[in-house]
């Protein structure tokens, strides 16, 4: 996809997320809107994985450690054909596999996640195994910035640097907010770039709500034998004016009036593209 097509796709997916959360009456709204541009870059331009190759040894792996933003992942997977969009009609309903965090009962999801701090360790394990088996695959892990307060993240980072896992790319959705407020006030993890560099990562920073820019940086691999960290500077709730940079939209369902206003804004943005 070209730059315009990627941006358009990200806004189309925002509409799917908005509808899914409104109709199901549950969801991490601002969080999903924050990271959807990252997922768009991965699944429509970077990730060497399709519904047909998912689970094969040579296919790339994606681990969404930021599991609470599962609505974004479900929107992408259904749009890419991993499962029918109609399956999401019972999202978070009775006896459905489409629950509020990623589960490998859903086609396209490799590992269960949601308890924050576990995803990077999983990614390190997959990347290390791929190295030992001489597999030409990349492993991508998406984390939140609030998640950086978890000690297990730094144990995994130390292992990634130690084993020089240049087939591992960690991405931080750096929107500066978490459920209880500003990340810097709840548990300041800065300076993230310097910390990850000290653990042996090649660190890059990108505008995290620009799918084309994200795609370019994910395709640029380090010349050194180092794992890569991409700090994606994002806006929580990006795309709907009254959600942007609002911590109370971390997990919130829009009213009918808010839904209609948000949908109008997304449609207006698509018309401009």
């Amino acid at each position: 996809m070209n730059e315009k097509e990627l941006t358009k796709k990200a806004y189309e997916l925002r509409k799917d997320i908005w509808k899914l959360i409104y109709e199901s009456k549950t969801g991490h709204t601002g969080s999903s809107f924050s990271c959807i541009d990252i997922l768009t870059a991965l699944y429509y331009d970077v990730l060497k994985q399709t519904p047909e190759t998912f689970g094969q040894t040579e296919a790339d792996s994606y681990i969404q450690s930021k599991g609470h933003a599962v609505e974004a992942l479900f929107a992408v997977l259904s749009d890419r054909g991993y499962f029918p969009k109609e399956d999401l009609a019972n999202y978070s309903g009775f006896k459905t596999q489409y629950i509020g965090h990623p589960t490998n009962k859903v086609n396209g999801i490799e590992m269960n996640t949601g308890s924050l701090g576990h995803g990077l360790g999983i990614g390190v394990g997959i990347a290390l195994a791929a190295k030992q088996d001489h597999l030409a695959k990349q492993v991508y892990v998406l984390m939140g910035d609030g998640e950086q307060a978890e000690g297990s993240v730094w144990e995994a980072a130390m292992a990634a640097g130690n084993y020089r896992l240049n087939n591992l790319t960690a991405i931080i959705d750096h929107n500066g907010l978490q459920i209880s407020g500003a990340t810097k006030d709840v548990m300041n993890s800065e300076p993230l770039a310097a910390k990850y560099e000290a653990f042996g990562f090649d660190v890059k920073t990108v505008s995290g709500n620009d799918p084309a820019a994200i795609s370019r940086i994910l395709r640029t691999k380090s010349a050194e034998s180092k794992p890569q960290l991409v700090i994606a500077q994002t806006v929580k709730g990006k795309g709907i004016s009254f959600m942007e940079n609002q911590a109370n939209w971390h997990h919130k369902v829009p009213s009918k009036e808010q839904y209609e206003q948000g949908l109008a804004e997304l449609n207006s943005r698509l018309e401009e593209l």
Side-chain angles (χ1 to χ4, degrees), residues 25 47 210 247 250:
K25 305 304 179 189
L47 197 67
D210 182 343
H250 179 86

Side-chain angles (χ1 to χ4, degrees), residues 75 111 210 231 255:
M111 294 295 297
D210 182 343
I231 300 176
S255 66

Side-chain angles (χ1 to χ4, degrees), residues 92-162:
S92 283
F94 184 58
K95 290 187 176 180
T96 178
Q97 70 266 39
Y98 301 101
I99 59 175
H101 285 87
T103 166
N104 58 15
K105 291 181 180 179
V106 174
N107 189 48
I109 296 178
E110 191 165 341
M111 294 295 297
N112 298 358
T113 58
S115 182
L116 296 177
H118 292 175
L120 187 59
I122 293 168
V124 166
I126 296 171
L128 181 58
K131 283 277 189 184
Q132 293 175 339
D133 291 340
H134 307 289
L135 299 177
K137 68 179 288 175
Q138 293 289 320
V139 182
Y140 299 88
V141 179
L142 176 64
M143 300 179 285
D145 51 358
E147 186 175 357
Q148 305 307 301
E150 298 284 353
S152 52
V153 168
W154 300 101
E155 292 183 54
M158 180 166 54
N162 180 70

Side-chain angles (χ1 to χ4, degrees), residues 18-94:
W18 194 232
K19 180 182 179 183
L20 177 62
I21 291 174
Y22 176 69
E23 293 185 346
S24 64
K25 305 304 179 189
T26 186
H28 286 82
T29 321
S31 304
S32 290
F33 273 55
S34 174
C35 69
I36 190 60
D37 298 293
I38 299 168
L39 293 182
T40 300
L42 277 167
Y43 275 90
Y44 296 86
D45 208 45
V46 175
L47 197 67
K48 294 177 181 177
Q49 182 199 109
T50 66
E52 293 72 34
T53 64
F54 171 70
Q56 295 181 9
T57 55
E58 294 281 352
D60 287 350
S61 290
Y62 171 70
I63 306 297
Q64 185 155 311
S65 191
K66 180 185 170 171
H68 52 278
V70 72
E71 296 87 8
L73 182 56
F74 283 161
V76 168
L77 292 177
S78 61
D79 189 68
R80 292 282 286 120
Y82 285 81
F83 57 83
K85 287 189 176 184
E86 294 75 21
D87 284 6
L88 292 176
N90 195 35
Y91 170 60
S92 283
F94 184 58

